[in-house]
DNA sequence: CGCGGTCTTGAGGTATCTCAATTGGAGTGG
DNA sequence: CCACTCCAATTGAGATACCTCAAGACCGCG
């Protein structure tokens, strides 16, 4: 019932519901990342934008006191590495082995790139903004169980696969990541999992394999704040 | 010592530290908003992007149960109204009387706009992403006092003006807005103000006029999580 | 098979929320 | 000009959810 490391993600991940940009023509180059390998660090000059092909990335920022915060996860199809003033504003690591497409973007600041590519970049950035806004709704004034429910529904949309009438997926990240993403402690995340299990909203086959039993229940949880 | 409505913002607001886009040529049209007037609603077709000239806007989203969340404030120079799939994803209202420049953006999705304008839009979107990431750092696992300290420092950067060696500014929004922005209750925000006052970090001339006495103290507060 | 790390579970402390009462000021009408 | 109402902000007391610290369970790995 216990596994100390998240499951290895294969190269096959289900398509996701959201519309997203197709950068294949613009980015023939790819790069493979081992589990835990970093793609870039905070402060690095941003020479490229990356599109996740397979695997999952996490964006991390540390505070002065060393506290870690997970700003977001990048699933296949997502863009990572949006620069600010030509620099990356966060660390980016592979949660599981991943492959990313590389978009050379020296001109991303200079305006020297192809208009159609720029259009795709803008659309990707707008998508990112919308996605972050959704996350804001999750972070403020919600209980731990509600936050976890929201997070799991998001996971289901992005990496869920059907399993006998239900949706299931392998959580690629450890509890610590989820906690730092939701603004909780790992202990509280664990307790929230237990609570959702007791409510029969989900099952945990391993600790990293989630089977959603009652999606409606999770949705009503994530929506109602009391 | 008590004022029931936020102060009226004049047309003169100090310039801000952040670099931002200059849309003046592209957007000769402007629109004036009375206090509380809405600029657009969630779900509206996004025909324009807006640049704040004067005043302050707030982006708001409501949950199914009616809970309100303030996603962000738009200060002079900021862009508001980034669309997702051609629609606005949040309500936008004027916190105080405001004037915005209108950027017709029918082609924002179609890619038919001028490359240089598109470049500015992309830069504005990247700025927005970075700004939201900063807010994430504030929302998770920080005490109420730390959140408020972070927020006030942000205000000081955007609308602060020097006053006898200190920085001061008029808080344009009521406590409820600050609470919904920081994921707290108005009562807790009020208590956090009292605590910061007791620490001699700031003074409240009216309840809406903040004078920062000890910026270093606020900064150490907002950075250290314990 | 034992070590190391992650996850879970428990007990107690603490910060925030909730509910309620009070204060203070602005706007209104006499 | 003053009394009144209305509303936001403040303050207080109690309940509650989460954090902290600690121990135990479980598994992968050497």
């Amino acid at each position: 019932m216990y596994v100390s490391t998240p499951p290895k993600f294969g190269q096959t991940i289900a398509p996701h519901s959201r519309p997203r940009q197709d950068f294949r023509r613009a980015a023939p180059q790819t790069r493979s990342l081992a589990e835990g390998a970093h793609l870039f660090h905070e402060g690095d000059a941003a020479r490229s934008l990356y599109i996740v092909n397979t695997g999952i990335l996490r964006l991390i920022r540390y505070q002065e006191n060393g506290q870690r915060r997970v700003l977001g996860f990048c699933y296949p199809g997502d863009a990572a590495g949006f620069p600010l003033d030509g620099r990356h504003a966060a660390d980016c690591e592979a949660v599981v082995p991943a492959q990313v497409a590389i978009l050379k973007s020296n001109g991303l600041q200079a305006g020297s790139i192809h208009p159609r590519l720029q259009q795709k970049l803008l659309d990707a950035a707008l998508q990112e903004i919308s996605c972050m806004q959704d996350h804001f709704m999750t972070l403020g004034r919600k209980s731990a169980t509600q936050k976890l429910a929201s997070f799991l529904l998001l996971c289901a949309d992005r990496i869920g696969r059907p399993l006998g009438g239900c949706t299931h997926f392998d959580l690629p990240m450890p509890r610590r990541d989820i906690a730092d993403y939701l603004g909780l402690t790992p202990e509280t995340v664990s307790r929230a999992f237990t609570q959702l299990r007791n409510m029969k909203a989900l099952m945990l086959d391993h600790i990293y394999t989630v089977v959603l039993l009652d999606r409606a229940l999770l949705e009503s949880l994530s929506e109602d704040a009391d």
Side-chain angles (χ1 to χ4, degrees), chain A:
Chain A
M1 192 66 175
Y2 286 78
V3 181
S4 66
T5 49
K8 310 303 173 215
F9 253 69
Q11 299 298 78
T12 55
I13 286 187
H16 2 274
S17 52
R18 306 197 173 211
R20 59 199 62 264
Q21 309 314 316
D22 182 358
F23 289 98
R24 272 172 298 185
R25 275 190 217 166
Q29 297 180 50
T30 63
R31 179 166 161 193
S32 291
L33 294 166
E35 177 182 331
H38 72 268
L39 185 56
F40 52 80
H41 283 298
E42 183 175 349
D44 284 357
R47 295 201 181 75
S48 308
L49 193 77
Y50 305 92
I51 315 295
V52 180
N53 283 340
T54 63
I56 296 185
L57 309 179
R58 70 181 156 230
L59 286 169
I60 295 182
R61 240 152 98 173
Y62 294 90
Q63 302 187 159
E64 284 73 2
N65 57 12
Q67 264 229 7
R68 195 179 88 136
R69 199 128 310 170
V70 173
L71 297 175
F73 298 102
C74 300
Y75 303 94
D78 287 345
F82 290 110
L84 177 72
D85 299 332
R87 305 207 159 267
H88 290 299
D91 291 5
C92 182
E93 306 168 350
V95 178
V96 292
Q99 195 189 44
V100 297
I102 301 176
L103 229 69
K104 291 292 179 196
S105 64
N106 293 325
L108 205 140
Q109 290 285 318
S112 62
I113 45 179
H114 191 283
R116 196 151 61 214
L117 175 57
Q118 204 172 37
Q119 177 64 36
K120 285 181 189 298
L121 288 176
L122 179 55
D123 287 347
L126 295 179
Q127 197 100 44
E128 175 75 6
I129 288 173
S130 171
C131 187
M132 293 177 81
Q133 285 186 350
D134 289 341
H135 191 201
F136 277 131
M137 299 302 284
T138 304
L139 279 182
R141 303 270 300 279
K142 274 195 181 182
S143 75
T145 310
Q146 288 168 345
K147 286 181 184 178
L148 183 59
S150 302
F151 173 71
L152 292 177
L153 286 172
L154 202 117
C155 284
D157 282 346
R158 303 306 301 274
I159 57 175
R161 283 178 291 185
L163 173 75
C166 300
T167 305
H168 87 118
F169 53 89
D170 286 333
L171 272 181
M173 69 291 286
R175 299 285 188 269
R176 154 119 269 138
D177 282 357
I178 301 176
D180 289 341
Y181 179 64
L182 296 176
L184 302 167
T185 58
E187 294 95 327
T188 302
V189 171
S190 183
R191 279 183 253 265
F193 265 115
T194 304
Q195 199 173 339
L196 290 177
R197 244 186 336 180
N198 291 339
M199 298 165 79
K200 308 288 183 209
L202 57 81
M203 277 173 43
L204 291 180
D205 194 25
H206 313 272
I207 43 176
Y208 289 114
T209 301
V210 178
V211 182
L212 298 191
L213 298 177
D214 192 343
R215 190 177 227 282
L217 178 56
L218 285 176
E219 281 168 357
S220 74
L221 264 178
S222 73
E223 287 170 3
D224 300 332
D226 45 23

